[in-house]
Amino acid sequence: MDVNAAVAALAAIAGVCTGVIAMLAFRWSERDQARPTRTSLHTDAVLPPGVDTVLSVLRSSAVVLDESDSVVKASSAAYALGLVRGGKLAVQPMLHMARDTRRDGEIRQVELDLPRRGTGRGEALAVSARVAPLGSRLVLLLVEDLTEARRIEAVRRDFVANVSHELKTPVGALSLLSEAVMDASDDPEAVTRFAGRMQIEATRLTSLVQELIDLSRVQNDDPLEDAEPVRVDELVAEAIDRSRHTASTKQITMAAGGAADLHVWGNRGQLAAALGNLVENAVNYSPARTRVGIAARRIPASGGDQIEIAVTDQGIGISEKDRERIFERFYRVDPARSRATGGTGLGLAIVKHVAASHGGEVTVWSTEGQGSTFTLRLPEAGSVRDRTHIQIADDADDGPYDADPESHPHPHPDSDSGSDADPESGSHPGPDPRTTPREPLPAPEVLP
């Protein structure tokens, strides 16, 4: 009897423990269900009808708070910006705005700079926050990311300031020189000297205006709309002719080689302007009685062969700190020398935009006192044409696409990333030019 009683008592105790554990598990499950998650917060009945649908289509980050400042609903963009953490609004200024709006019902708006998540560089995230009451107990917070808009505005502001400064210099010089000509009307020698200076300043002003037009055109136009195969040797010949007079004056030898039977795909006018700017810079920044070489070759790439055109000079070179900025608009390594040579600081910016819009890139190697080499890489005309034909064939196929992505390649001719490889191209993959040792460039041919 004693044994049976003990067993019964143990069974009763076990049943009580099981019941307690079950009750705790049930409570814990309810708590987990009530806890907001990152992917989808539960939407209680307190949300007015249709609000959930409206918030899901808004471009702004949306957060709905209840009377206890708990997050009732939040969009994925709000999590991405770091506004919501652990079911609570993590930005104190926005939380204070929400409380004030809940108290008096007034709509509030403010612009804030928030620390960017995941970076240790102190970069700020510019946002605009707007808080409004939603029903009797809820508050709606809409946050819009203004970082990119502010960056573009800063670029435009700097561009306008630079343009104003660059235009002011030759215009002011022309005004002063015209007054000097009038005052020296009785001195023919002074009139001739001042008139020559006026001609120089007028030429500089014309060049600046023309390069501003060219830069605007390459930024706004799609060069591949009027793309065609362009002979590289013709581009090289045009670039050399453009700088022949300046090179002859400085006794600079220009040599070209390796451009025969090579073609690139793109807008002929823009490509000629880009290569012409590189050759003109090489001549302008080279000492007298030196050499400028232009060499071209075909290099293999997994996305189709590319054409590499290198312009090498024996000039003053570029320091490491300046190499990172030389493709910026109006940036000059040596402002005094640039003004002496008539440079506007826009030539390399035009080259960069032309290369990017044609699916290529421009790079620079330079050592101070030893010269520089600017390399322009562009897709070969044959490679682009082959990929285009494959795309047309795929579009004409009535059957379903094969599961193998390589069986139906889709080119990306508008890519401006400057990458050498197109993983979806129809060409057979070749060695990566960034890791494969390259053959030396062909020996240039000296031109008069």
Side-chain angles (χ1 to χ4, degrees):
M1 292 295 293
D2 294 339
V3 174
N4 293 334
V7 172
L10 289 175
I13 294 173
V16 172
C17 292
T18 302
V20 172
I21 293 174
M23 181 180 65
L24 292 176
F26 178 74
R27 291 291 180 86
W28 186 266
S29 177
E30 284 188 335
R31 184 179 300 176
D32 282 346
Q33 292 179 0
R35 182 181 301 168
T37 62
R38 178 180 178 85
T39 56
S40 177
L41 292 175
H42 78 290
T43 304
D44 294 334
V46 294
L47 273 179
V51 172
D52 189 18
T53 304
V54 173
L55 296 181
S56 64
V57 299
L58 287 177
R59 296 182 60 182
S60 304
S61 302
V63 180
V64 178
L65 303 177
D66 61 13
E67 62 271 15
S68 61
D69 293 333
S70 297
V71 176
V72 177
K73 180 70 178 178
S75 63
S76 58
Y79 286 105
L81 291 179
L83 304 179
V84 178
R85 299 177 189 173
K88 295 291 184 178
L89 187 61
V91 184
Q92 288 299 319
M94 296 181 186
L95 186 59
H96 294 325
M97 288 175 56
R99 291 170 178 171
D100 294 339
T101 297
R102 186 185 300 109
R103 184 179 62 254
D104 55 25
E106 293 185 4
I107 298 176
R108 289 174 170 83
Q109 184 169 354
V110 67
E111 293 188 1
L112 301 171
D113 291 332
L114 307 179
R116 191 185 296 270
R117 296 182 63 189
T119 62
R121 295 175 294 175
E123 296 179 353
L125 195 68
V127 299
S128 174
R130 185 179 180 87
V131 181
L134 185 64
S136 59
R137 295 187 299 159
L138 303 181
V139 173
L140 173 63
L141 171 66
L142 296 177
V143 180
E144 185 174 357
D145 188 358
L146 303 178
T147 307
E148 184 65 15
R150 284 192 178 182
R151 188 191 66 80
I152 294 175
E153 182 61 29
V155 170
R156 289 177 178 173
R157 185 169 56 250
D158 293 342
F159 181 72
V160 171
N162 288 331
V163 169
S164 302
H165 175 73
E166 296 297 332
L167 289 175
K168 181 180 178 181
T169 301
V171 169
L174 286 173
S175 177
L176 293 175
L177 288 170
S178 63
E179 293 179 4
V181 168
M182 294 179 62
D183 294 338
S185 57
D186 297 334
D187 187 351
E189 183 178 351
V191 169
T192 302
R193 184 172 68 254
F194 292 142
R197 290 290 306 279
M198 291 178 66
Q199 206 168 27
I200 293 174
E201 296 298 333
T203 301
R204 179 177 299 174
L205 181 61
T206 302
S207 300
L208 176 60
V209 172
Q210 183 60 48
E211 291 199 349
L212 285 172
I213 295 173
D214 293 341
L215 181 61
S216 176
R217 181 179 295 117
V218 300
Q219 287 180 321
N220 297 328
D221 293 348
D222 182 6
L224 299 182
E225 288 184 356
D226 301 323
E228 60 178 341
V230 182
R231 291 175 59 94
V232 175
D233 55 354
E234 293 180 357
L235 295 178
V236 173
E238 290 184 26
I240 291 176
D241 287 339
R242 174 175 168 177
S243 301
R244 190 182 300 275
H245 175 71
T246 305
S248 174
T249 303
K250 300 174 66 174
Q251 299 180 12
I252 293 176
T253 302
M254 291 192 293
D261 299 326
L262 297 180
H263 298 76
V264 292
W265 183 263
N267 184 290
R268 179 186 179 86
Q270 293 189 13
L271 294 174
L275 185 57
N277 286 342
L278 292 180
V279 175
E280 187 177 16
N281 276 357
V283 172
N284 288 337
Y285 287 91
S286 293
R289 293 179 294 278
T290 55
R291 181 187 181 94
V292 172
I294 306 100
R297 65 176 178 180
R298 179 186 294 107
I299 59 175
S302 58
D305 291 348
Q306 292 195 336
I307 301 301
E308 183 178 271
I309 308 173
V311 180
T312 304
D313 62 60
Q314 298 172 330
I316 59 176
I318 306 169
S319 65
E320 183 177 358
K321 65 179 181 67
D322 290 322
R323 284 200 298 270
E324 300 177 355
R325 301 191 58 191
I326 57 175
F327 294 103
E328 295 180 10
R329 290 169 289 190
F330 295 109
Y331 184 79
R332 297 185 178 97
V333 175
D334 186 353
R337 186 181 182 91
S338 297
R339 290 191 175 91
T341 58
T344 62
L346 291 174
L348 292 179
I350 293 175
V351 175
K352 178 183 177 181
H353 282 286
V354 170
S357 62
H358 283 76
E361 65 175 349
V362 58
T363 58
V364 59
W365 172 92
S366 184
T367 301
E368 288 185 276
Q370 298 184 19
S372 306
T373 297
F374 286 85
T375 303
L376 183 63
R377 296 186 185 93
L378 299 165
E380 187 181 20
S383 301
V384 177
R385 187 167 56 248
D386 291 343
R387 292 202 299 270
T388 304
H389 289 167
I390 294 174
Q391 174 69 41
I392 294 174
D394 285 342
D395 292 341
D397 188 0
D398 294 332
Y401 286 116
D402 194 291
D404 183 3
E406 293 186 357
S407 64
H408 295 279
H410 297 278
H412 298 280
D414 294 333
S415 172
D416 59 355
S417 63
S419 173
D420 292 335
D422 184 357
E424 297 181 356
S425 77
S427 303
H428 295 290
D432 192 339
R434 293 168 292 186
T435 58
T436 304
R438 296 179 178 175
E439 297 295 331
L441 290 171
E445 173 189 357
V446 178
L447 300 179

